[in-house]
Amino acid sequence: INKHGPLTQDSGVPIHRVILLWSNSDPVTIRRDHYEYATGKRRKLDDLSSLRLFDGQNNHHIEIRVAKNKKEVEVWTGEVVTGFEAAQRKLAKFRAFQDAGVPKPKVLRARPAERAKFKTELSRIEKAHPVVDRSDDDKKGGKFVMSLCEGEMLLMRGKTKKGESPGEVGYFVVAKINKRESGSSIEVVPHWDARAATERKDSEGKKVPDSKREQFAITPTDLKDLAPPDHPHAAKIRVSPVGQVTIIVD
């Protein structure tokens, strides 16, 4: 606005006030393509006014890593991967399959011999283009510990107020992943609590007591501080349909 002047309508009438329907602090930015008739190729436009902005939708998962600083103190970090970025990673994998001449999954399932032929190539591409990056990377935060998606579960202690001892050990479900400039966080809910995230209202519009679930937010550092007994940090688990609990490592 300082450089080009105030926003205006097409007629030139300046726009002094707008109504913000929703905020988007981390939009997906995509440049438009331009067809060059001289070369017969398409290229991205460098003009900022050609940018298209989209809502990245939900966060797909968070990748937790840990490293030691100069004082040998562990620093836990969490990199949030949006749904758009996860889709881009998967798209890159599909394109790698296509470039390598790998048949479609339907064909591979119907022809075991064909799948065996591409076994090495399939394994190479899967490792090169993971949707969840499980690599140890100092630039991303150090040694990979775990990834968490909505609906996955943790074995850990409940979080209490500052100064109080950690709560009882239990199973908690990941309800939401938050990405903020101040740091990422994870909303978790006790596995037995199926109530809504907000309070319900009765027919008269009054709030229904105890209708809101008991969720709380944890940071990557809390995964260590709330570790259950005999575990270095909160453990990611899988629960079978019959209730058998398996701890997932890496």
Side-chain angles (χ1 to χ4, degrees), residues 2 46 50 53 71 91 105 114:
N2 289 334
D46 295 327
S50 70
L53 303 179
K71 297 181 180 180
L91 178 61
E114 194 82 1

Side-chain angles (χ1 to χ4, degrees), residues 22 33 40 44 75 115 162 174 178 189 198-199 223 233 235:
W22 67 82
D33 287 340
K44 297 292 184 181
V75 178
R115 182 174 181 85
K162 190 174 182 180
V174 176
N178 301 314
V189 182
T198 56
E199 288 182 309
L223 293 173
H233 52 75

